Amino acid sequence: MGESPVTELAVRGRQLHADLVLDTEAVVVGTGAGGSIALRELARAGIDAVALEEGGYHTTADFNQREERMLALLFQEQGGRTTEDLAIRILQGRGVGGSTIHNTNLCKRIPDAILSAWADDFGLGDVRPEVLAPSFARIEADLSVSEIPAADRNANNEVLRLGAERLGWRGGPLKHNRVGCQRSGFCELGCSYDAKQNALKIVLPQAAAAGARIYADVRATRIHVEGGRVTGLEGVVLGENGEHIANARIRAKVVVLAASATGSAALALASGVPDPHDQIGRGLHVHPGAAVAGIFDRTLASYDGIPQSYECTEFLSFERGSDRRVWIVPAFAHPIGAASALPGFGASHMRAMRDYGKLAVLTALVHDETEGRVVLGAGDRPKIRYVMNDADRAQLGKGLVACARILFAAGARDVVIPAVFPHRMREPGELDRLDTGFVRPHELPLTAVHPMGTMRMGTDPKRSVVGPTGEHHHVRGLFVADGSLFPTSIGGPPQIGIYTLALHLAHHIIARARSS
Ligand SMILES: Cc1cc2nc3c(=O)[nH]c(=O)nc-3n(C[C@H](O)[C@H](O)[C@H](O)COP(=O)(O)OP(=O)(O)OC[C@H]3O[C@@H](n4cnc5c(N)ncnc54)[C@H](O)[C@@H]3O)c2cc1C
């Protein structure tokens, strides 16, 4: 391949002493799962390509396992991003490597039933399971995806396995993209041991070795379109405290949006990209989830080890119209995260935290039908409108009850659903009488880490933003290559699907960059 090793992956904003002005063939916005692959494939095809990343360039040495520092460093809005009504916390990454830096490394393909539904309902014949299979396999090989060995299952995951098995419920081990894992349990704060085979460690260095240039601390602010063709974009260079220190102007005949399902839509909206059918920003899915805690009589130290290695799929089906739309996995939190989720104040909160080491925590995530919307907020940042519909709330209620049953079955002494008015149960019979009407915004802390949709792919411009090649229906040279592409929720971890779709679409992007 003729690629040479890279020492310094990205240029930081503070290293730029003047405006960033470039004339290039292709520019990629965002360096997460989708952006890294698009950049690598362009560079490997000999295309002059640059990537802009609004977040900083941080390396393993920066990941110090401190929640208070890492949340601010690695997450959008310092970990404080929420839906517009403040009901759902939305966690997304910001920085070179995007959300792949702090994700929990679960690797699953987009289910065949979902791909088939996309093909049938959105005209995406080319994303059928058998067509995508080689791209999935290549991504899995690139990222060293493997099944997490049973020996590496920590106590929290063992509780899930045991409880589900005792109930006779379907479940199994998960796959991940870690090599040399030390089982420290700090994946969500960035890996200090560099065991994550993610965009930062694997894909972006390959892109840079093939000649791509990566600029950190550069936020794209406007896409330029002339006569139905993209001509480049402009942006701002940010200093160490997020201050505007210079401007960026990039001329390019291809612009690839990979700023995530919130960032790409916000940038397209701010730029006034043609949108005759008012589609940009629509169709947002997030897999909203909530947690249930079990208190055991023994110490579990659930914070120790690989956070998620086992799943319960008893209530998950991908068939259209299914009323089994919840995915159950462990969800243990670091101390600050746990303290903010556990109910009570003062002495009662202190008592709850004393049980920290004895807790097992599970989460139910909804394979959501609710369609939210990204609109423009202050400073053209994404504003997320998303209010769960009744059917999804019912699914979540069902999922939380199932989590509680699993915890009891595994031997929990008490089970707590940490709603605003916490529901504490001492035996499974109480679940039969539980009114899950509290599963509603503001009565239950909700979190979502999988934004998808907003620049959906499809053949019909009235229901989608980009065509089956990933190119905008009305703007030549403008492509999308991130989670925005998904026409629906996928009901499971999306990173492999995003990496794979970016790879699958890359030859269209390359062909456009080569065309005059
Ligand atoms: C806590 C957590 C755990 C997760 N665990 C898993 C898991 O185990 N398995 C899994 O499959 N998925 C997981 N995910 C989700 C997964 O990481 C994301 O779905 C995936 O990385 C999204 O890829 P993307 O390319 O769409 O965007 P991202 O990876 O989010 O990258 C987008 C990048 O664009 C940048 N950007 C945004 N706007 C601009 C702009 N205007 N200019 C320049 N740059 C911009 C952002 O800073 C960001 O770096 C998790 C996510 C979180 C938050």
Side-chain angles (χ1 to χ4, degrees):
M1 183 96 28
E3 294 178 356
S4 48
V6 171
T7 44
E8 197 67 339
L9 187 60
V11 176
R12 295 181 168 91
R14 62 172 183 268
Q15 293 173 286
L16 294 169
H17 301 293
D19 284 357
L20 177 67
V21 181
L22 300 170
D23 205 334
T24 183
E25 289 176 296
V27 55
V28 178
V29 183
T31 56
S36 62
I37 292 288
L39 185 71
R40 182 188 77 178
E41 295 305 301
L42 281 161
R44 283 184 168 174
I47 308 287
D48 185 28
V50 304
L52 307 182
E53 167 55 56
E54 71 172 341
Y57 168 39
H58 310 293
T59 65
T60 300
D62 300 311
F63 304 148
N64 67 4
Q65 306 192 341
R66 302 290 310 177
E67 270 177 293
E68 71 279 13
R69 174 89 182 106
M70 291 300 107
L71 279 172
L73 197 69
L74 300 179
F75 287 81
Q76 291 287 1
E77 276 125 60
Q78 311 204 337
R81 179 170 276 184
T82 66
T83 49
E84 185 183 23
D85 64 359
L86 308 178
I88 309 181
R89 187 176 187 208
I90 306 279
L91 285 172
Q92 287 192 274
R94 176 187 167 96
V96 173
S99 305
T100 74
I101 295 174
H102 52 69
N103 73 22
T104 24
N105 290 81
L106 298 184
C107 295
K108 270 193 154 191
R109 296 186 180 192
I110 302 171
D112 285 359
I114 301 264
L115 289 176
S116 299
W118 288 358
D120 295 344
D121 299 351
F122 292 86
L124 300 179
D126 198 25
V127 297
R128 278 199 182 279
E130 62 280 12
V131 181
L132 271 193
S135 298
F136 276 124
R138 236 190 90 191
I139 288 294
E140 288 165 350
D142 283 345
L143 304 181
S144 303
V145 174
S146 64
E147 187 170 298
I148 304 173
D152 285 350
R153 202 173 288 147
N154 77 355
N156 202 29
N157 285 268
E158 201 44 33
V159 162
L160 172 56
R161 185 199 60 79
L162 184 67
E165 276 183 13
R166 283 183 176 161
L167 292 164
W169 289 352
R170 207 169 50 202
L174 287 159
K175 291 184 176 175
H176 68 164
N177 57 325
R178 296 178 182 89
V179 172
C181 177
Q182 302 298 307
R183 298 172 283 280
S184 69
F186 284 89
C187 318
E188 290 193 3
L189 304 182
C191 181
S192 322
Y193 306 101
D194 211 17
K196 292 182 158 198
Q197 310 304 103
N198 59 12
L200 177 65
K201 181 179 174 189
I202 304 294
V203 190
L204 292 170
Q206 291 171 339
R213 287 162 291 158
I214 301 166
Y215 293 89
D217 310 306
V218 181
R219 173 171 156 75
T221 53
R222 289 288 181 279
I223 304 159
H224 292 168
V225 178
E226 283 168 30
R229 284 169 171 255
V230 81
T231 57
L233 52 75
E234 63 187 89
V236 290
V237 181
L238 305 170
E240 278 181 72
N241 299 314
E243 73 281 16
H244 176 170
I245 55 172
N247 295 318
R249 283 190 304 280
I250 320 290
R251 277 193 66 76
K253 60 183 170 184
V254 163
V255 172
V256 182
L257 296 184
S260 86
T262 56
S264 290
L267 177 56
L269 288 168
S271 308
V273 164
D275 188 18
H277 303 290
D278 191 21
Q279 284 298 299
I280 296 177
R282 287 188 185 274
L284 174 73
H285 298 276
V286 300
H287 292 159
V292 184
I295 304 161
F296 286 71
D297 283 324
R298 62 182 196 283
T299 297
L300 298 171
S302 295
Y303 44 80
D304 201 17
I306 296 177
Q308 294 170 323
S309 55
Y310 196 88
E311 64 179 344
C312 170
T313 51
E314 179 68 18
F315 302 94
L316 188 59
S317 149
F318 301 108
E319 300 313 317
R320 245 184 292 250
S322 166
D323 74 339
R324 301 168 85 81
R325 293 191 284 107
V326 269
W327 183 49
I328 295 174
V329 277
F332 207 77
H334 299 287
I336 299 175
S340 59
L342 280 174
F345 295 95
S348 72
H349 190 256
M350 200 166 80
R351 271 197 303 280
M353 281 305 282
R354 276 206 192 108
D355 283 333
Y356 181 60
K358 296 179 180 172
L359 295 180
V361 184
L362 304 180
T363 182
L365 273 70
V366 181
H367 171 27
D368 48 335
E369 291 176 349
T370 300
E371 294 208 344
R373 187 167 188 182
V374 169
V375 297
L376 279 186
D380 288 345
R381 302 216 57 94
K383 187 193 278 190
I384 301 166
R385 294 208 167 126
Y386 185 98
V387 179
M388 284 175 88
N389 69 21
D390 290 348
D392 284 353
R393 281 178 37 217
Q395 286 296 313
L396 183 56
K398 198 182 203 177
L400 296 179
V401 169
C403 289
R405 288 199 195 285
I406 292 169
L407 290 163
F408 277 127
R413 132 166 81 81
D414 284 346
V415 169
V416 182
I417 303 179
V420 172
F421 299 103
H423 295 268
R424 190 173 188 119
M425 286 146 293
R426 294 190 186 279
E427 49 96 17
E430 290 179 61
L431 289 165
D432 301 334
R433 301 183 292 277
L434 184 69
D435 175 358
T436 54
F438 65 88
V439 181
R440 56 172 63 247
H442 305 291
E443 288 192 37
L444 186 71
L446 298 166
T447 303
V449 299
H450 298 163
M452 299 157 283
T454 74
M455 307 273 288
R456 294 178 286 203
M457 33 179 356
T459 43
D460 180 358
K462 295 198 181 85
R463 297 170 61 215
S464 58
V465 177
V466 301
T469 61
E471 191 169 28
H472 191 278
H473 284 305
H474 312 286
V475 183
R476 208 171 143 116
L478 179 61
F479 285 84
V480 175
D482 61 14
S484 324
L485 291 166
F486 290 10
T488 66
S489 155
I490 63 166
Q495 67 165 349
I496 293 297
I498 296 170
Y499 280 116
T500 299
L501 276 186
L503 179 64
H504 174 73
L505 299 177
H507 70 102
H508 298 293
I509 306 175
I510 291 164
R512 180 60 77 217
R514 284 191 175 136
S515 70
S516 55

